[in-house]
Structures are given as structure tokens and as C-alpha cells.
């Protein structure tokens, strides 16, 4: 699984001009699922996101995680994170999971985070979404669960 994390002052997702999820300060999570991903990948990313110290402390240093900062999460499915652009001009999405597999892992990931200490909002899986955000910093972090065991 891959995520793009953006620290935001606010963010929301609209589907057909209806807001499906919105947060104030927190993290916008763009989540991609590959064919090879399993629940352990989702667990790794959940723990990493909740513990990642990307929020400023009283001195302005990034020393607080989302729990400490009192932020929310907005999770948006994003299969295009697995777009391979190495050949030609059109990305190949062969590494992305099939919709049924991706939705199952997406739901597992969302449910695992909803069971935790921060409020969670979502987009709508497999919908065309309008994503609005005010990036804070900007702070943008990329995490790939496949790289968790690499030194």
C-alpha cells in the first residue's frame, strides 16, 4: 500500500457536489492498494500515520503526532498512486489491486483507524471525487508499506 500524507489546515471531498468527508486541521491521506497488499500493510500504515511526528510543538518543531495535535484524518482512495509511467505516455495501472480487493483493504484500513483515537472522514470508494485542501506548510510525506523492511 502507498500513501501520500498531506498535513492540512482543512480538507474536504465532494462527490456530485455533495460533501462526503471533511476535516479541519489534520492529515489528508491518499491511499493506493496494490495487488500484493495484505492486512499487515494496512496495519503498518495505520501505526505509522498515527505516530508520525509532523505537527509543530510550542517551539515550531515537528515533534507532535496527529493524536497529540488533536487533528483528524480524511482518507481518499487513490488507485493512481500505482500508475507506472516508465514506458510510453499513458500510465499503466497493472500493479494496482482489482476494485474488489482494493475496497476490502481500504475498508479494513478505514475501520482500523476509526477504532483509534482520532476522528476519521472518507471519500467515496471508486467515485469521481473533487478533493479540496489547504496544505499546511506544505508538509507532504510519501510512505510505501512495501519498503518497511528495507534498511
Amino acid at each position: 500500500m502507498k500513501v501520500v500524507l498531506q498535513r492540512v489546515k482543512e480538507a474536504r471531498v465532494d462527490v456530485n457536489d455533495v460533501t462526503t468527508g471533511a476535516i479541519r486541521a489534520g492529515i489528508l491521506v491518499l491511499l493506493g492498494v496494490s495487488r500484493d497488499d495484505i492486512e499487515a500493510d494496512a496495519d503498518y500504515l495505520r501505526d505509522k500515520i498515527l505516530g508520525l511526528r509532523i505537527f509543530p510543538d510550542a517551539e515550531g518543531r515537528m515533534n507532535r503526532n496527529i493524536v497529540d495535535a488533536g487533528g483528524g484524518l480524511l482518507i481518499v482512495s487513490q488507485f493512481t498512486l500505482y500508475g507506472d509511467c516508465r514506458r510510453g505516455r499513458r500510465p499503466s495501472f497493472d500493479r494496482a489491486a482489482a476494485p474488489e480487493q482494493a475496497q476490502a483493504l481500504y475498508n479494513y484500513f478505514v475501520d482500523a483507524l476509526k477504532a483509534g483515537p482520532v476522528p476519521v472522514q472518507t471519500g467515496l470508494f471508486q467515485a469521481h471525487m473533487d478533493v479540496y485542501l489547504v496544505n499546511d506548510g506544505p508538509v507532504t510525506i510519501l510512505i510505501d508499506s512495501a519498503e518497511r523492511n528495507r534498511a
Side-chain angles (χ1 to χ4, degrees), residues 31-45:
L31 173 71
V33 179
S34 83
R35 297 179 304 189
D36 301 323
D37 291 330
I38 58 175
E39 289 179 355
D41 293 288
D43 294 337
Y44 168 79
L45 290 176

Side-chain angles (χ1 to χ4, degrees), residues 41-107:
D41 293 288
D43 294 337
Y44 168 79
L45 290 176
R46 176 201 62 220
D47 294 344
K48 186 62 80 171
I49 290 167
L50 291 176
L52 199 62
R53 298 183 327 174
I54 60 172
F55 291 89
D57 61 16
E59 288 139 20
R61 296 179 56 203
M62 288 197 287
N63 271 329
R64 299 186 319 153
N65 62 37
I66 191 161
V67 177
D68 299 334
L73 294 170
L74 177 57
I75 304 170
V76 177
S77 61
Q78 187 80 46
F79 81 94
T80 59
L81 290 177
Y82 279 97
D84 183 350
C85 299
R86 292 177 293 176
R87 296 184 57 193
R89 299 194 183 273
R90 182 179 310 172
S92 167
F93 299 104
D94 290 345
R95 290 199 52 228
E100 302 78 27
Q101 177 194 4
Q103 186 167 18
L105 274 173
Y106 169 84
N107 289 339

